[in-house]
Amino acid sequence: MARWAGILLVGGLMGSWRSEATWAESEFRVGSELVLTLRTPDAPARLRLLKQRLEEILLQASSPQVQVSLDIPSPNPSTTGSGDPPAQAARILLNQQLLLEVTPADAKAHAAPQPADLARIWADRLQTVFNQESSRQQLFLGLGLPPHLTWQGRLYRRAERAAADTGRFVTDGTRIQDHVVYWEIPSGENPFDFTDKPTLPDPPPERLFLLNRHRQFVPYEL
């Protein structure tokens, strides 16, 4: 089992006594919210691609508000008759960009009549999750920032919430992993007493801060 950035991957092999029988299942989560499950042999690879697309789309987003939509192809009149139309893949879009293609194999694995039916369910779940403030925090807070920092032999882990800007954050321009590091002036000390070139305390404080793309101070804690 492997976890990263709000995504849970679960892979498995069933019926190993038959070499042609393979099965894999992967779950896509935002924080603790289960959004969708892929149940095709290539599920882990598709989930990695979904994660990559999600990060790329969110990095381009001008605000934490995102919109889920669908691209469902119309049935080909030449192939429709008295029976059901042939299954066609449906696409889930995020901010009008492709996030996930829902295939006939997905529909079959979930006992859905058509890929479009399953795509509608997954799209509704996605939009519900993206509409939640807690989910947006988890998605956007650390976007483009490392999960941890190492400074002077100390390991700092990224917190889950932004810190309120009280006007007490300073920096001397020190960079870690190409990010400018800030720290907070200790309580009881006058921020006006600090010079234009403050010096990072030695030993470093228990919390360091990086600015995310929305100008929020993201704490990193020991």
Side-chain angles (χ1 to χ4, degrees):
M1 182 179 294
R3 288 177 180 264
W4 73 86
I7 288 188
L8 175 66
L9 292 179
V10 183
L13 180 66
M14 297 181 65
S16 58
W17 54 275
R18 295 174 58 191
S19 61
E20 73 277 11
T22 59
W23 171 92
E25 179 172 311
S26 293
E27 296 178 344
F28 171 63
R29 294 177 180 268
V30 176
S32 60
E33 295 283 343
L34 175 62
V35 178
L36 59 87
T37 304
L38 300 174
R39 296 173 178 168
T40 56
D42 58 349
R46 293 177 65 202
L47 192 59
R48 287 191 291 271
L49 180 59
L50 187 158
K51 175 183 178 290
Q52 177 184 335
R53 288 172 174 166
L54 176 64
E55 290 181 346
E56 291 173 352
I57 294 170
L58 295 183
L59 281 169
Q60 298 173 33
S62 58
S63 78
Q65 303 295 328
V66 292
Q67 185 65 43
V68 181
S69 58
L70 291 172
D71 179 13
I72 299 175
S74 301
N76 188 340
S78 64
T79 61
T80 58
S82 57
D84 293 331
Q88 299 184 71
R91 305 196 318 161
I92 297 177
L93 310 178
L94 187 62
N95 287 357
Q96 299 301 312
Q97 299 183 61
L98 176 62
L99 180 66
L100 176 67
E101 186 173 66
V102 184
T103 67
D106 291 320
K108 182 178 180 181
H110 286 268
Q114 293 284 336
D117 299 297
L118 182 60
R120 290 188 183 95
I121 294 172
W122 286 351
D124 286 345
R125 290 179 184 170
L126 276 168
Q127 190 65 71
T128 297
V129 170
F130 291 146
N131 287 343
Q132 298 172 0
E133 176 62 28
S134 59
S135 296
R136 290 198 299 271
Q137 275 280 341
Q138 290 174 325
L139 287 167
F140 282 92
L141 179 70
L143 194 63
L145 298 181
H148 59 264
L149 300 174
T150 300
W151 178 249
Q152 293 192 3
R154 295 185 172 195
L155 179 64
Y156 294 80
R157 291 180 174 82
R158 192 176 66 210
E160 296 182 356
R161 292 183 177 276
D165 186 358
T166 60
R168 303 183 67 85
F169 295 109
V170 294
T171 181
D172 63 352
T174 296
R175 289 178 174 266
I176 302 178
Q177 299 184 25
D178 202 34
H179 295 283
V180 175
V181 177
Y182 295 78
W183 69 94
E184 191 172 14
I185 298 172
S187 176
E189 295 192 25
N190 188 347
F192 296 103
D193 290 340
F194 279 74
T195 66
D196 292 336
K197 291 290 184 180
T199 302
L200 184 63
D202 185 15
E206 294 186 358
R207 292 206 305 172
L208 300 176
F209 302 84
L210 301 184
L211 275 176
N212 67 12
R213 64 191 307 267
H214 293 290
R215 307 299 295 175
Q216 295 174 303
F217 284 97
V218 180
Y220 284 76
E221 302 171 343
L222 289 174

